[in-house]
Amino acid sequence: MLTLNLNTTVPFSKSTHHYPINASPSSLLTPNTRSHTSSSPLQSPTKSSVFPRIHSHSYPFSFSSKPTSQIFGLTPKFPSLFSSKPKLQTPKASSSSTSEPNSNEETKPAVPKPKATTRQLALIFGLWYFQNIVFNIYNKKVLNIFPFPWLLASFQLFAGSVFMLVLWSLKLQPCPKISKAFTVALLGPALFHTIGHISACVSFSKVAVSFTHVIKSSEPVFSVVFSSFLGDTYPLQVWLSILPIVMGCSLAAVTEVSFNLQGLWGALISNVGFVLRNIYSKRSLQSFKEVDGLNLYGWISIISLFYLFPVAVFVEGPQWVQGYHRAIASVGKPSTFYLWVLLSGVFYHLYNQSSYQALDEISPLTFSVGNTMKRVVVIVSTVLVFRNPVRPLNALGSAVAIFGTFLYSQATAKKKKEAEKKN
């Protein structure tokens, strides 16, 4: 009886490779199940080991609901079986390690956000600087004729709260879902925000705007000190960067023409308040990452208003009526006074909103550099508008302090990059 041996190898006339006749489709098409001992080029161990490696590192979140061929961009017709050099196509999202995936869309590859163009960045920084300058000018104008910072700070929070409520009601900004846990988590950051805001406003009412901003440039010093007490570690270059900040602020304070102890303490307490707000926010709001920065700031403003206004009534309330009449008499028209107050409140919220939008569009390093330059622009603008006398040593101290802030931003950005590489 004749028998046919199906396990024999039949050579093809136009190929240098040999394929077994009884090879099943699964052994050819499934790279993870093929034997590494076979001599077939389709069973290359290099190709078979690529799939699990990319799948486990490029996608830390689960994408198992999608077929592997769809995840890696392979077509179901398997054209690479007959090509001499099969190519594995990886999605573009895997090359962006800095983009944060959306927890609500874990089944979709993350698409990197397009970078802002030079014109867009110029517009963002232009609005941010312009709004900040307008706020500082009209805030100081009001405080010069109506020296009641507690009421003015309360109105600024009120203007921001109304602004956010209008955006939410008109659906121009998506309103976040508010839960009891989220409200409780906001109580601490809102309290420290209130302390930082009212202290800065008190400082503005006592000294020149430029001096307050020079002292507020020492905020990194408080940030490093408080964070170190809480267990964070900083490299030597960060600690060295805060030395010129301390020396510059000290020199500016000693040579300041409009020096006032209450103004100095107000600016320093403002730094403490905002630093504690940032630290507390990181610890209490970790589980509420679905709320964007603008909505978070809006709710902090609303809660801060409930903190501040009752205290403002207790501290300044009996003096408001007399102060109002004196303010009207000094400017001549009530409409002028109302306009100044309104501009200070609206632009206080707008410049904070622009800062959140700027941070969303640019890197933290660019933002910190822009924030440093913003202080320079505000200081120069207010000196020109109010014609505050500036001594040479005072200008030198201000420049040294701001330069130290710039060095600090560079050092902390390098620290963050090194931490990201380790992770």
Side-chain angles (χ1 to χ4, degrees):
M1 179 182 294
L2 297 177
T3 60
L4 177 62
N5 187 3
L6 296 179
N7 293 323
T8 58
T9 303
V10 179
F12 290 91
S13 58
K14 293 185 179 182
S15 175
T16 60
H17 305 292
H18 295 78
Y19 301 89
I21 291 180
N22 61 345
S24 62
S26 61
S27 65
L28 292 176
L29 303 181
T30 308
N32 290 332
T33 59
R34 290 178 296 184
S35 173
H36 294 289
T37 59
S38 174
S39 61
S40 171
L42 292 178
Q43 300 173 5
S44 170
T46 303
K47 181 179 177 181
S48 64
S49 62
V50 170
F51 283 81
R53 177 173 59 83
I54 294 182
H55 184 75
S56 60
H57 292 281
S58 297
Y59 295 91
F61 297 95
S62 174
F63 291 88
S64 59
S65 60
K66 286 188 176 183
T68 307
S69 60
Q70 294 181 12
I71 295 176
F72 297 102
L74 299 178
T75 59
K77 295 182 180 180
F78 310 103
S80 60
L81 290 177
F82 302 98
S83 61
S84 58
K85 294 183 179 181
K87 294 183 179 180
L88 184 62
Q89 300 178 359
T90 58
K92 294 181 179 180
S94 63
S95 62
S96 179
S97 59
T98 58
S99 60
E100 297 182 358
N102 189 350
S103 59
N104 297 328
E105 298 179 356
E106 292 184 354
T107 58
K108 295 181 180 180
V111 179
K113 186 175 181 179
K115 295 182 179 180
T117 62
T118 304
R119 183 176 300 178
Q120 290 173 335
L121 287 177
L123 180 62
I124 291 171
F125 278 96
L127 286 175
W128 185 18
Y129 288 13
F130 171 76
Q131 292 163 354
N132 203 310
I133 291 172
V134 172
F135 159 72
N136 281 278
I137 290 175
Y138 284 98
N139 184 68
K140 185 61 177 177
K141 281 179 174 288
V142 173
L143 291 173
N144 284 339
I145 62 174
F146 187 75
F148 299 101
W150 290 79
L151 178 59
L152 183 60
S154 300
F155 176 78
Q156 290 164 354
L157 293 174
F158 172 76
S161 302
V162 172
F163 189 88
M164 291 303 302
L165 291 175
V166 171
L167 292 182
W168 290 332
S169 61
L170 298 179
K171 297 182 179 180
L172 299 176
Q173 172 72 13
C175 181
K177 295 181 180 179
I178 302 302
S179 61
K180 182 180 179 180
F182 179 67
T183 305
V184 172
L186 282 177
L187 294 179
L191 175 61
F192 292 122
H193 178 79
T194 306
I195 295 173
H197 178 47
I198 182 56
S199 300
C201 206
V202 169
S203 179
F204 285 133
S205 67
K206 300 297 182 180
V207 294
V209 177
S210 56
F211 178 69
T212 300
H213 277 281
V214 171
I215 302 303
K216 282 180 67 64
S217 66
S218 64
E219 183 176 319
V221 179
F222 296 90
S223 179
V224 171
V225 172
F226 286 132
S227 298
S228 298
F229 278 121
L230 294 175
D232 293 344
T233 58
Y234 290 91
L236 179 61
Q237 57 264 33
V238 173
W239 288 99
L240 292 177
S241 67
I242 68 176
L243 293 179
I245 299 178
V246 175
M247 293 187 295
C249 289
S250 301
L251 181 60
V254 171
T255 58
E256 174 61 33
V257 176
S258 64
F259 178 81
N260 179 280
L261 192 59
Q262 290 181 337
L264 174 63
W265 278 108
L268 292 175
I269 295 174
S270 176
N271 287 340
V272 174
F274 285 130
V275 166
L276 292 179
R277 178 200 63 181
N278 297 337
I279 294 175
Y280 201 95
S281 297
K282 291 179 181 179
R283 295 177 178 268
S284 64
L285 299 173
Q286 283 292 332
S287 57
F288 303 99
K289 294 182 179 180
E290 69 277 4
V291 181
D292 62 10
L294 183 56
N295 284 334
L296 180 63
Y297 176 72
W299 281 109
I300 287 179
S301 298
I302 294 174
I303 298 177
S304 297
L305 175 62
F306 286 100
Y307 278 139
L308 183 59
F309 185 69
V311 182
V313 174
F314 176 78
V315 174
E316 299 176 342
Q319 309 173 40
W320 286 344
V321 176
Q322 295 180 355
Y324 168 76
H325 290 296
R326 289 196 299 267
I328 297 300
S330 62
V331 295
K333 296 180 180 180
S335 59
T336 302
F337 176 71
Y338 299 152
L339 179 62
W340 289 0
V341 173
L342 181 62
L343 289 175
S344 71
V346 172
F347 279 90
Y348 170 75
H349 178 81
L350 288 179
Y351 97 78
N352 279 285
Q353 175 179 316
S354 296
S355 66
Y356 278 102
Q357 292 174 336
L359 185 59
D360 186 51
E361 294 292 336
I362 59 182
S363 65
L365 176 58
T366 306
F367 178 85
S368 61
V369 174
N371 193 37
T372 304
M373 297 305 299
K374 181 207 69 177
R375 292 200 185 279
V376 177
V377 174
V378 170
I379 289 173
V380 173
S381 301
T382 54
V383 167
L384 294 177
V385 170
F386 297 104
R387 298 181 179 179
N388 299 323
V390 180
R391 297 173 180 175
L393 288 179
N394 182 265
L396 177 62
S398 302
V400 171
I402 294 174
F403 180 68
T405 306
F406 173 76
L407 294 179
Y408 169 82
S409 65
Q410 298 287 319
T412 52
K414 183 179 180 180
K415 177 177 177 289
K416 290 180 181 178
K417 288 183 179 179
E418 293 176 353
E420 290 177 356
K421 289 181 179 179
K422 291 181 180 179
N423 295 332

